[in-house]
Amino acid sequence: MLNLAISLILAHVIGDFILQPQLWVQHKENNKHKSKYLYWHVLVHACALLLVLQFNFKYWLGILIIALSHFVIDLIKLNLQSRINNRLLFGLDQIAHLVVIALVIQMYEPYTFSFDVLFNTKTLLFITTLLCITRVSSIIMKTLISKWDLKAYNEEASLENAGAYIGMLERLFVFAFIITNHWEGVGFLIAAKSVFRFGDLSKAKDRKLTEYILIGTLLSFGLAIAFGLGYEYISGLIEK
C-alpha cells in the first residue's frame, strides 16, 4: 500500500507543481474551461501516473478516476477563485486531490483507518500544544507587552501580521528542536534572530525599541520552551 500511495502522490507533485508553468496557471484563471492548458494539465497528470506506475495497466481505472477528478476539482477551483480567498482555495483544492488519491488506494489495496487515532491522549496533547505555541502564545505576548505603546515604530512599512507569523514559526521551530532533543538548534535560532535584528536596532539607536524587541524575543522563546518541556513531561506520563 505504501508504495502505491507514494507513487500516486509523486505523480500529483509532478503534475501539479513541477510540470505546471505559471503561464498555464494564468491562462486557466483567465479562460477557465476554455483554456487549452486545463486539458494539457490533465493529460500531464495522466502521463505522470502512467510513468510512476510503470505503465501497469491494471491501474487504468484509478488513473482515469484521478485524471477526471483532477479536471473537475480544478474547474470548480477556477470558478470559485473570485469568491473564496486564494490561500483557502489552494488548501481545499489539495485536500480534495489527496482524498481522491486515498480512495483510489482503497480500491486496489484496502486499508482501515480509525478516527480513534485522532482522539487518543497523545494526539490530543500534541494538537493542544501546537495551538498553545502558536495562537495562545501570541495572545499572551500581546497582553503582556500591551502596557508599552510603541505605535510610532509600527507605522513603518512592513508586511501585514508578519511579526505574528514570524513569532509562531520561531516557536514551532523551538518546539520541534525540543521534542527531537536538539537543544543546540534553539541556541542557533536565537543567534540567527539576533543577527537579523542587529541591523534594526543599530539603525534605531533607541533604547525603548531595543528593550521592547528583547522582551518580545525572550517571551516568545520562553513560552515555546515552557510548552515544549510541558509536552515532553506529560508525554512521559502517558507512556508510563
Side-chain angles (χ1 to χ4, degrees), residues 112-124:
T112 56
F113 176 78
S114 175
F115 282 98
D116 293 338
V117 176
L118 298 176
F119 296 98
N120 67 39
T121 308
K122 197 156 186 180
T123 303
L124 291 174

Side-chain angles (χ1 to χ4, degrees), residues 197-206 210:
R197 280 295 192 182
F198 178 77
D200 294 334
L201 298 178
S202 61
K203 289 177 184 176
K205 295 181 181 178
D206 191 296
T210 303

Side-chain angles (χ1 to χ4, degrees), residues 1 4-5 8 53 56-66 100-111:
M1 184 195 80
L4 178 59
L8 295 181
L53 294 173
N56 189 337
F57 288 99
K58 80 172 185 178
Y59 296 115
W60 71 269
L61 182 57
I63 293 171
L64 184 63
I65 290 172
I66 292 175
V100 173
I101 288 174
L103 292 174
V104 170
I105 295 170
Q106 178 70 24
M107 281 175 50
Y108 293 100
E109 299 182 15
Y111 58 90

